[in-house]
Amino acid sequence: MVFCYDSYHFFIFHFSDVYYLTPIPASESLNHNMTQCGHQEHDFIDDDRTLNSHATMRIACLLPSATDICVALGLSDSIVGVTHECDIRSVLESQSQPNYENGSNKVQILTSSGFNDGNKHSQAEIDARVKTESKILNASAESINSLYPICKEAFHAARPTIVLTQDLCSVCAPCPKDVNNMLREVGRGMDDDEEVVVYSLDPHSLMDVADTFVAVAKICGVPHRGQILKDEFVSNLNALRDIVTKERNNDENIKQKKILLFEWLDPPYDGGHWIPDMIEIVGCQVAKAGDKLGSKKSKQFTWDDVYASDPDVVLVACCGFDLERNKKDATLASSKLRPMRAAQNGRVYVCNGDLNFARPGPKLLGGAAAIARCAFDGDRDVVRALEGLNFMKSTSFEWERVPIELLKNGTVCDIEDIADMKDFDAAHKAACDNGKMTYTDPDSGYEVFTELAHKRRGKCCGSGCRHCPFNHKNVKDKASKIKQPAFLYEGEGRGALKKTLHAADNVKILFFSGGKDSYLAIRALYRKYYQNDKSFALILLTTFDSVSRTIAHQEVHINNVIKQATHLNLPLIGVPMHRGSSEPYVERIRRAVNLVSEGLNCMHKISSLCFGDLHLEHIRSWRESEVSKLGFELEYPIWKLPYVDLVLDLEKSGADIVVSASTEIGVQVGDVFDNFLSQRAEKLGMDGFGEN
């Protein structure tokens, strides 16, 4: 017979048959109009329309989420069987009276594990076993039990009238076919006229999960309870979302976090089905690994895929494992986790995957709370607001940060603290030639991302990586972090650099050290070109040591040069020079010049490379020999000008010129450079302009 009940169809058969039912989601998105409410004990008012009387209803839960849903619906008294993985204590503690008969528990344990002791098996061993069983199951025309088979004697003793099972994974838990076979086997020993309803839970999204609350409640004759549970679940999720949105709107420094959740580590799988929804509902972005873009199914990928996804935060919440097991496995996988930027920033966390992520039921709220708490760990205002939510005090969720000492022991990503003292350029080139995502730094032993890995990511991560191909676009503190040529100052106002370059037809790049010679060269160039050519534009280029961040020979920090460029309102390119790189100087400069040509969309608009050289022939000769290979005219605007004219020009400018480095006794660091100091230096046998 068939009963039509609202939007669901319930197919009721005798023991020789079984029906399958998958809920139809009532909505594709969360209801954003729900009001906030915390977890509370409900005084349920049952709907008069019922399919089962409470006196005769006997529920068998063949997966933990079904048990959680039934307990939350207030149906503990009707539960007669659970799995070996269910929280049986929550069932017994929520029953109206002790459910014991003659000293033995009436709630039967209906399944057993196919593993002798799952905690003694590695993730790789478990994965191999599951894949083997799946192949056997898919190849067989007959029904084969899952790794967690139904116990015939216990099932017969339970005599269920409602069986809640699943159809997501035919290996990891009993499926409808397993239940149908069991009903055929034990049917003759049970009441022949007793009906059994088998309902298959098959949620694929967070909203599907919420809809199962209503569907299970309808099957059990308490539809009103299901709607209340769903509304509270959705309302609390929306409260999490609204808190994060509010705090981010109040503080622009609170950025959206990119989250990678490991559903498995060996081999790596990311979280699928409802997990992406959980990440997005708390205002975060899902880190896409491999070719998983657009898919919400959990998928195996490689560690190179993991590194390329470059998440801000990593959560280890492996399926079926509690907090301690995930902590243990994260420790074992530390060598794989270490190269990740998140690991180096101390943003790897372990969670209770079994409690809060693997069970598509009410406890997913705790998982969403854990994601939010880990994602915004360190953002005090967000954490304070999250902890102020009413339901957070009564929602069970577990998380813990993996100690940074564990993850940084012996290796590092390619962030600023790598002191590149040995040649790494050759190692990097070899890795790229072989399509590798990382290589081992020859000096430190750290694993470093290659340029290929960054290109695969598709954008600058903001960390100042050694081989960033995106000009460190998203790095905030460029002076301290950049490892590749990048603009350190783009001009006054938003879009100033773009406007400057687009309006220019005569662009010159001046090699700028921050010293007086460079300053005089700027003045000479403007006198020569700007008055007669309004399309003239000048870009400053400064090379500096990548470790000390100072300019060679000047002993001036790059921060001071940025201040000079800002005062002059001239765009400045910073070019960090690596001590441990065999990359030729000219190739390094080529990278920097390309930044300008890319902005111009035309290389020929760069008319010359300019230098503030005065009279040192060997330096000019080297430039003519090597730098000229870049294909640009070389210009020396103050070459062999008389010192007296240069000193007068400095005095005319009104700028204060201070000695920043000296090897001579008669001239001290901090002395003001003027005509008097120049003459005194000459009397002491020095070059009046400090050139020798």
Side-chain angles (χ1 to χ4, degrees):
M1 50 187 140
V2 176
F3 290 90
C4 293
Y5 192 67
D6 291 348
S7 60
Y8 293 91
H9 291 80
F10 298 91
F11 301 87
I12 312 296
F13 292 91
H14 289 280
F15 288 121
S16 58
D17 297 297
V18 62
Y19 81 87
Y20 312 153
L21 174 65
T22 300
I24 302 171
S27 171
E28 292 301 324
S29 61
L30 295 176
N31 179 359
H32 299 319
N33 297 319
M34 293 291 183
T35 57
Q36 176 182 329
C37 74
H39 176 75
Q40 56 185 323
E41 295 297 327
H42 299 294
D43 182 15
F44 287 119
I45 302 175
D46 293 339
D47 196 297
D48 290 334
R49 298 171 294 175
T50 63
L51 292 176
N52 296 275
S53 68
H54 293 184
T56 60
M57 183 169 60
R58 301 170 63 82
I59 305 172
C61 300
L62 293 183
L63 64 163
S65 61
T67 300
D68 295 341
I69 293 171
C70 288
V71 170
L73 290 172
L75 297 172
S76 297
D77 286 344
S78 298
I79 296 176
V80 294
V82 297
T83 74
H84 65 286
E85 293 184 319
C86 291
D87 184 4
I88 191 170
R89 178 175 295 182
S90 69
V91 177
L92 299 177
E93 290 178 350
S94 59
Q95 289 178 336
S96 59
Q97 55 184 328
N99 200 0
Y100 287 87
E101 182 178 1
N102 299 324
S104 62
N105 191 348
K106 289 176 60 178
V107 179
Q108 303 290 327
I109 305 300
L110 301 177
T111 63
S112 61
S113 174
F115 290 101
N116 294 330
D117 187 348
N119 284 325
K120 291 183 179 180
H121 293 275
S122 69
Q123 290 201 20
E125 291 171 336
I126 295 173
D127 178 73
R129 175 74 182 277
V130 169
K131 287 176 178 175
T132 299
E133 294 292 334
S134 295
K135 288 181 180 178
I136 295 173
L137 186 65
N138 293 333
S140 175
E142 300 178 2
S143 179
I144 299 176
N145 286 335
S146 71
L147 283 174
Y148 307 102
I150 302 173
C151 302
K152 180 178 179 180
E153 294 77 9
F155 193 86
H156 184 271
R159 297 174 50 247
T161 58
I162 295 176
V163 180
L164 301 177
T165 184
Q166 60 85 44
D167 210 15
L168 282 174
C169 176
S170 58
V171 176
C172 297
C175 65
K177 286 186 178 180
D178 298 327
V179 176
N180 190 25
N181 289 338
M182 183 57 61
L183 289 172
R184 293 178 188 278
E185 287 188 41
V186 304
R188 292 183 180 180
M190 301 171 71
D191 296 335
D192 289 336
D193 59 346
E194 198 167 26
E195 298 167 344
V196 175
V197 175
V198 179
Y199 178 74
S200 179
L201 302 176
D202 190 25
H204 287 78
S205 69
L206 197 56
M207 197 60 210
D208 287 350
V209 174
D211 286 334
T212 62
F213 304 164
V214 177
V216 170
K218 285 183 176 180
I219 292 171
C220 297
V222 288
H224 181 63
R225 299 186 189 184
Q227 192 60 52
I228 291 176
L229 183 61
K230 174 184 174 179
D231 290 350
E232 179 181 324
F233 180 76
V234 172
S235 176
N236 288 334
L237 287 171
N238 288 334
L240 284 172
R241 179 207 59 208
D242 293 343
I243 283 293
V244 173
T245 301
K246 177 182 177 182
E247 294 301 327
R248 286 183 60 196
N249 289 339
N250 291 338
D251 185 352
E252 62 180 11
N253 292 321
I254 301 175
K255 302 300 182 183
Q256 185 182 45
K257 305 296 192 300
K258 187 163 62 169
I259 309 292
L260 177 62
L261 185 143
F262 282 104
E263 185 176 282
W264 207 252
L265 281 171
D266 190 10
Y269 283 77
D270 64 351
H273 293 95
W274 46 85
I275 300 295
D277 295 339
M278 294 167 66
I279 292 173
E280 291 171 354
I281 195 67
V282 296
C284 296
Q285 178 185 356
V286 179
K288 301 294 184 182
D291 60 353
K292 193 175 175 295
L293 187 64
S295 171
K296 283 194 174 182
K297 291 185 178 180
S298 179
K299 186 175 181 180
Q300 180 182 336
F301 43 84
T302 68
W303 282 102
D304 279 347
D305 293 330
V306 172
Y307 302 146
S309 71
D310 188 44
D312 300 303
V313 179
V314 170
L315 303 182
V316 178
C318 298
C319 182
F321 291 160
D322 61 13
L323 184 71
E324 290 304 314
R325 174 62 192 264
N326 278 319
K327 190 190 306 183
K328 174 184 175 182
D329 287 351
T331 302
L332 293 174
S334 60
S335 64
K336 296 292 188 182
L337 297 171
R338 283 175 195 154
M340 304 176 72
R341 177 171 58 92
Q344 300 312 310
N345 292 338
R347 303 306 304 274
V348 177
Y349 301 85
V350 290
C351 301
N352 190 327
D354 177 51
L355 177 69
N356 295 131
F357 296 94
R359 303 182 185 186
K363 293 181 180 179
L364 290 186
L365 176 64
I371 293 172
R373 185 61 182 81
C374 295
F376 298 100
D377 189 27
D379 293 317
R380 295 183 179 179
D381 291 339
V382 180
V383 170
R384 189 181 300 112
L386 289 171
E387 293 178 345
L389 292 171
N390 292 331
F391 70 86
M392 290 287 278
K393 298 179 178 64
S394 57
T395 299
S396 178
F397 62 95
E398 299 177 354
W399 64 276
E400 186 175 317
R401 187 177 69 86
V402 178
I404 188 65
E405 294 77 16
L406 167 66
L407 295 174
K408 290 193 78 171
N409 181 24
T411 191
V412 153
C413 186
D414 48 4
I415 304 182
E416 172 59 22
D417 54 354
I418 297 181
D420 42 21
M421 301 301 292
K422 290 184 179 178
D423 179 24
F424 60 79
D425 188 64
H428 175 246
K429 186 177 184 302
C432 289
D433 289 344
N434 289 291
K436 300 294 185 181
M437 296 297 110
T438 64
Y439 70 94
T440 303
D441 181 76
D443 186 59
S444 65
Y446 298 159
E447 287 297 309
V448 183
F449 283 137
T450 63
E451 185 172 312
L452 292 178
H454 295 301
K455 286 181 176 178
R456 187 170 182 177
R457 178 194 298 136
K459 65 178 181 179
C460 172
C461 68
S463 297
C465 299
R466 179 185 279 177
H467 302 293
C468 177
F470 304 108
N471 308 324
H472 296 295
K473 181 179 180 180
N474 296 323
V475 175
K476 295 191 178 300
D477 184 9
K478 289 183 171 62
S480 298
K481 290 187 174 183
I482 67 167
K483 291 287 192 175
Q484 295 292 335
F487 274 98
L488 299 179
Y489 177 69
E490 297 188 357
E492 184 178 359
R494 188 172 184 178
L497 177 64
K498 186 175 182 179
K499 293 176 183 176
T500 297
L501 295 179
H502 282 193
D505 287 321
N506 178 18
V507 177
K508 296 182 181 293
I509 299 176
L510 173 66
F511 285 59
F512 183 73
S513 67
K516 64 186 186 314
D517 301 356
S518 297
Y519 178 53
L520 287 167
I522 292 175
R523 291 176 59 81
L525 288 167
Y526 266 84
R527 281 195 299 267
K528 183 175 181 180
Y529 295 106
Y530 187 70
Q531 293 180 353
N532 301 318
D533 184 2
K534 297 304 181 183
S535 69
F536 164 73
L538 187 62
I539 308 292
L540 305 181
L541 183 152
T542 300
T543 61
F544 59 93
D545 182 73
S546 66
V547 177
S548 67
R549 318 303 278 187
T550 58
I551 289 85
H553 309 300
Q554 301 289 341
E555 300 305 320
V556 173
H557 196 276
I558 189 61
N559 279 330
N560 291 331
V561 176
I562 294 174
K563 290 178 182 178
Q564 292 174 333
T566 303
H567 178 75
L568 296 168
N569 194 29
L570 290 175
L572 170 67
I573 299 173
V575 185
M577 306 302 292
H578 297 288
R579 303 177 189 177
S581 174
S582 60
E583 180 184 22
Y585 172 85
V586 173
E587 290 306 310
R588 196 73 173 157
I589 298 303
R590 190 190 303 277
R591 286 176 177 261
V593 173
N594 285 343
L595 291 179
V596 180
S597 62
E598 288 168 5
L600 290 168
N601 293 321
C602 184
M603 184 72 79
H604 76 263
K605 289 186 177 182
I606 301 176
S607 58
S608 66
L609 305 182
C610 306
F611 304 90
D613 296 332
L614 293 173
H615 61 74
L616 298 179
E617 295 285 357
H618 68 284
I619 293 179
R620 177 166 178 166
S621 176
W622 181 86
R623 297 194 200 281
E624 298 289 347
S625 171
E626 300 300 324
V627 181
S628 63
K629 293 177 181 178
L630 294 173
F632 300 101
E633 177 188 348
L634 306 188
E635 192 169 354
Y636 306 87
I638 58 174
W639 180 253
K640 291 194 175 181
L641 290 180
Y643 281 179
V644 62
D645 293 344
L646 295 176
V647 172
L648 287 175
D649 194 24
L650 284 176
E651 291 179 345
K652 184 179 179 180
S653 73
D656 292 330
I657 311 298
V658 179
V659 176
S660 61
S662 175
T663 60
E664 303 295 335
I665 296 177
V667 179
Q668 302 296 319
V669 173
D671 288 349
V672 175
F673 182 86
D674 52 16
N675 190 42
F676 174 76
L677 180 60
S678 178
Q679 292 177 358
R680 187 179 70 181
E682 289 181 353
K683 290 179 181 180
L684 293 173
M686 309 174 201
D687 183 271
F689 236 61
E691 285 295 286
N692 295 326

